[in-house]
Amino acid sequence: MTLTLLHTAEAHRASFDRLRDKIAPGMRLEHVVRPDFLERAQDGIDAALDAEITTMIKAAPGPVICTCTTIGPAAARAGAIRVDWPMMQAAAETKGAILMVYCLESTRAPSLALLQDAMTAANHPGPLVPLPLPALWPLFAEAKLADFAKALALAILKQAVQMPDLGAIVLAQASMAGAAPMLEDLGVAVLSSPELALRVGLARL
């Protein structure tokens, strides 16, 4: 079988290949990049888009990881692994407040719902604090990945120091993973989705 990754941004191809080289050298990944899926999903996922996502996932020769949080619910209904689900489960096992960071408004609802599901299952009392950073998304869209990661880290740090009960930071979108190493000195769990999800996907082969 082959592990397929459904992306909505080309930048994820190299990121997941680097992770593959770290945890499973030589393993072949099949990348499907569909930026149009994210563009079409900004105002909600209609029946036509849902059907197209489902068809793509059902046709894959093995497990599929959907790396886009916006279309994640539709992909999961079709049998894909949501890239953020293992991360949300890990966050729910921590103690203290959870700060959930995101840039795209279309990410907010599916990510909050998934994290709340994980917290309920783990009896995590919260609080859950969303941190929207939409002004930073153009940096990622323009492939200024280092600038994007640095700007994220600075904005998150500004919020985190105001939360003495902070237990975990959730970087809701896979594109945010580059900020995680810059936040290690905070002394709380800083969770990003790509590696956790890739390990789950590889385990299903």
Side-chain angles (χ1 to χ4, degrees), residues 112-131:
L112 279 175
L114 194 65
L115 182 49
Q116 287 167 339
D117 285 347
M119 291 170 68
T120 298
N123 294 314
H124 192 300
L128 168 55
V129 179
L131 177 61

Side-chain angles (χ1 to χ4, degrees), residues 156-167:
I156 293 167
L157 180 61
K158 183 178 179 179
Q159 176 66 29
V161 297
Q162 301 176 48
M163 300 176 63
D165 61 339
L166 183 61

Side-chain angles (χ1 to χ4, degrees), residues 2-182:
T2 299
L3 178 60
T4 299
L5 291 98
L6 171 58
H7 311 298
T8 55
E10 180 63 36
H12 291 312
R13 184 193 301 267
S15 298
F16 277 88
D17 280 346
R18 284 194 296 271
L19 277 175
R20 182 271 320 275
D21 293 344
K22 172 185 173 184
I23 64 179
M27 179 64 66
R28 180 174 177 271
L29 300 179
E30 180 71 24
H31 298 279
V32 177
V33 184
R34 294 295 302 268
D36 59 304
F37 281 179
L38 178 57
E39 182 178 348
R40 291 160 60 190
Q42 290 305 298
D43 296 319
I45 297 175
D46 60 19
L49 177 55
D50 187 82
E52 198 169 339
I53 292 168
T54 298
T55 298
M56 181 258 132
I57 290 168
K58 297 292 187 184
V64 177
I65 297 174
C66 175
T67 67
C68 175
T69 49
T70 298
I71 67 169
R77 288 193 296 271
I81 300 163
R82 284 182 62 162
V83 71
D84 46 356
W85 178 234
M87 172 181 65
M88 299 308 193
Q89 290 176 301
E93 296 298 329
T94 64
K95 307 292 184 183
I98 299 175
L99 182 65
M100 193 197 85
V101 190
Y102 63 97
C103 289
L104 285 173
E105 182 59 29
S106 58
T107 292
R108 177 187 172 90
S111 294
L112 279 175
L114 194 65
L115 182 49
Q116 287 167 339
D117 285 347
M119 291 170 68
T120 298
N123 294 314
H124 192 300
L128 168 55
V129 179
L131 177 61
L133 298 172
L136 304 185
W137 184 248
L139 292 172
F140 180 79
E142 295 164 11
K144 298 176 180 178
L145 305 186
D147 291 341
F148 180 57
K150 184 177 180 180
L152 279 172
L154 289 172
I156 293 167
L157 180 61
K158 183 178 179 179
Q159 176 66 29
V161 297
Q162 301 176 48
M163 300 176 63
D165 61 339
L166 183 61
I169 296 169
V170 170
L171 304 176
Q173 295 167 237
S175 53
M176 297 177 166
M182 304 179 195

